[in-house]
Amino acid sequence: MRILIVGPSWVGDMVMAQTLFACLKLRHGPDCLIDVLAPDWSRPILERMPEVNQALSFPLGHGVLDIASRRRIGKSLAGQYDQAILLPNSLKSALVPFFAGIPKRTGWRGEMRYGLLNDLRVLDKDAYPLMIERFMALAWEPDHQLARPYPRPTLQIDPASREAALVRFGLELDRPVLALCPGAEFGEAKRWPAEHYAAVADHKIRQGWQVWLFGSKNDHPGGELIRDRLIPGLREESSNLAGETSLAEAIDLMSCATAVVSNDSGLMHVAAALNRPLVSVYGSTSPDFTPPLAEEVEVVRLGLDCSPCFDRTCRFGHYNCLRDLEPQRVIEALDRLVGDPLPDPQL
């Protein structure tokens, strides 16, 4: 069985898509071949998923139609697959499998994709409240009862690649590592304030930890705001890696973390897939749809009457769901997860 997956456009969604790949292997056997058509940025994620045979480059940006290019890509894939499964719900995402003439084309109804898909599913949101359930259901025939426990995303790390990243950035593992992920591409209403992250960093550094900050180039200034709030002597125990690493290096380095604190973001799902002890901070969003999928997770949120609103910016302008969430809540969650991993000096 050869299956083409049209992958999602966001880091977290791509991580969670591994649950679908696991279900396909379960249904069709270990010899089932899974290729994923996705943007190039996703390659480091897909390369760390043992279920994926290969990542196929999709050169068009998010939202770009370009029918001619989609037809050309589809024709180049003709005759290679038995089934295509589409994770995006857009009409344009259905064009490549259609032009490729793949015999079975599966996906949720989405944007009027009649004719483009011939295995068209109608989503019952009550039956599948979680995103991973909506992904996994596409591996099976309609109305199939999903078996629990659900598979969890699990990214595999190559030790040599991880060591190379440590050397490149001059990082040592002589102290516990607190990874902070203070960014969120969705918007300000997902970002816990820099001063709160700084308070957590200050506390853990004084306990003998070191702090690594992760994120995109856009998150680098925010990382510097956090470091600027640390006094000299503590600031030097932090490293702002946001925008400095590739995604592959960020994944490898995050696998070294003793614990992670993250907003609701793609990197939160990466940390969960690396099975790192994780504190997830929620403001305008909710863990009810896309929770972090790991064994050791603490979700911290206030649950105000106005949240979850799922807005990019606060309609009231106060961001109280995040600003009023005190650092002590996160520090206590970290203590419950990992306590103090330093050896007793008297031993």
Side-chain angles (χ1 to χ4, degrees):
M1 187 72 173
R2 297 174 61 92
I3 301 174
L4 177 70
I5 306 293
V6 179
S9 299
W10 300 97
V11 170
D13 294 357
M14 189 63 79
V15 172
M16 288 184 285
Q18 193 178 14
T19 59
L20 165 64
F21 309 155
C23 286
L24 289 171
K25 290 286 188 178
L26 181 63
R27 178 179 181 185
H28 299 292
D31 293 334
C32 169
L33 187 146
I34 300 171
D35 290 346
V36 182
L37 182 66
D40 280 339
W41 62 257
S42 65
R43 188 173 297 273
I45 296 173
L46 296 170
E47 288 175 343
R48 287 159 176 76
M49 295 179 176
E51 300 89 350
V52 175
N53 174 60
Q54 63 176 331
L56 303 178
S57 176
F58 186 70
L60 302 182
H62 180 61
V64 176
L65 180 56
D66 194 348
I67 294 178
S69 293
R70 292 176 190 271
R71 179 183 290 108
R72 185 176 64 253
I73 295 168
K75 295 298 184 183
S76 72
L77 300 175
Q80 298 184 38
Y81 299 99
D82 303 299
Q83 183 183 13
I85 299 177
L86 286 67
L87 297 187
N89 288 325
S90 64
L91 184 148
K92 57 184 172 292
S93 67
L95 292 174
V96 168
F98 176 77
F99 289 134
I102 297 173
K104 186 176 183 180
R105 303 183 298 278
T106 302
W108 298 111
R109 182 168 55 189
E111 293 180 348
M112 300 300 290
R113 302 193 285 188
Y114 301 102
L116 296 176
L117 301 183
N118 54 16
D119 180 21
L120 193 67
R121 312 290 180 88
V122 178
L123 176 61
D124 181 345
K125 293 183 178 180
D126 293 330
Y128 301 126
L130 295 174
M131 177 177 283
I132 61 165
E133 292 173 330
R134 299 175 189 183
F135 286 172
M136 291 188 294
L138 296 176
W140 308 93
E141 293 304 312
D143 301 322
H144 175 87
Q145 187 68 39
L146 298 177
R148 292 178 180 268
Y150 294 155
R152 287 176 174 157
T154 303
L155 301 179
Q156 296 189 346
I157 301 299
D158 174 42
S161 176
R162 177 168 53 194
E163 182 61 29
L166 288 167
V167 170
R168 183 187 173 205
F169 293 98
L171 299 170
E172 301 283 347
L173 298 178
D174 54 338
R175 287 158 293 151
V177 176
L178 176 64
L180 300 182
C181 306
E185 291 297 319
F186 180 78
E188 192 66 26
K190 274 191 175 184
R191 298 188 189 115
W192 202 39
E195 59 267 27
H196 292 352
Y197 271 106
V200 174
D202 179 286
H203 180 82
K204 299 310 286 185
I205 291 172
R206 291 179 188 274
Q207 287 187 332
W209 291 49
Q210 57 181 314
V211 170
W212 299 352
L213 294 121
F214 291 89
S216 68
K217 187 172 294 186
N218 293 335
D219 300 322
H220 191 87
E224 288 304 291
L225 284 177
I226 294 170
R227 295 184 73 243
D228 288 345
R229 289 179 172 271
L230 301 174
I231 64 172
L234 299 185
R235 187 179 305 129
E236 289 72 20
E237 305 305 320
S238 64
S239 299
N240 187 2
L241 303 170
E244 303 296 327
T245 68
S246 65
L247 179 56
E249 291 166 332
I251 295 171
D252 290 343
L253 292 173
M254 193 176 291
S255 74
C256 301
T258 311
V260 180
V261 178
S262 178
N263 299 330
D264 176 15
S265 67
L267 287 179
M268 177 191 75
H269 292 287
V270 169
L274 293 169
N275 204 27
R276 297 295 82 210
L278 171 65
V279 178
S280 300
V281 179
Y282 280 80
S284 66
T285 57
S286 166
D288 293 340
F289 181 46
T290 55
L293 303 170
E295 294 178 7
E296 299 179 277
V297 175
E298 289 260 354
V299 171
V300 180
R301 62 193 297 256
L302 291 180
L304 302 182
D305 289 343
C306 58
S307 65
C309 66
F310 299 99
D311 290 342
R312 292 178 179 269
T313 57
C314 178
R315 67 187 69 178
F316 303 111
H318 54 56
Y319 297 95
N320 286 348
C321 62
L322 293 168
R323 290 178 180 171
D324 292 350
L325 204 165
E326 295 294 333
Q328 188 60 32
R329 292 273 307 274
V330 170
I331 291 170
E332 291 170 356
L334 282 170
D335 288 344
R336 287 191 294 271
L337 286 173
V338 294
D340 187 354
L342 293 176
D344 187 337
Q346 298 181 1
L347 293 180

